[in-house]
Amino acid sequence: MKITISLSKIARGPIIAAFMERGERDQGPQPATPALRRPVLTDGAAENVKETVDA
């Protein structure tokens, strides 16, 4: 028989317990990661990058 105790039940501080409880409740199949922002290339910078890559 496997006994599991959640971290939110062990935490003594109410703020930490609430934080742990939200984490346990909101767990999804995959962690959320922010989308990477692509740089904005202006004034011919795209051509300079292309020339550098092609060289």
Side-chain angles (χ1 to χ4, degrees):
M1 177 181 216
K2 185 176 179 181
I3 298 173
T4 57
I5 299 173
S6 63
L7 292 175
S8 63
K9 303 296 181 199
I10 297 173
R12 293 181 181 260
I15 295 173
I16 301 298
F19 173 78
M20 295 292 188
E21 188 175 326
R22 282 192 305 273
E24 294 164 355
R25 180 187 66 225
D26 296 340
Q27 271 186 338
Q30 295 183 6
T33 56
L36 297 176
R37 292 177 41 183
R38 302 196 85 156
V40 178
L41 303 175
T42 58
D43 298 329
E47 289 299 320
N48 292 338
V49 170
K50 185 176 179 185
E51 290 172 2
T52 304
V53 172
D54 290 339

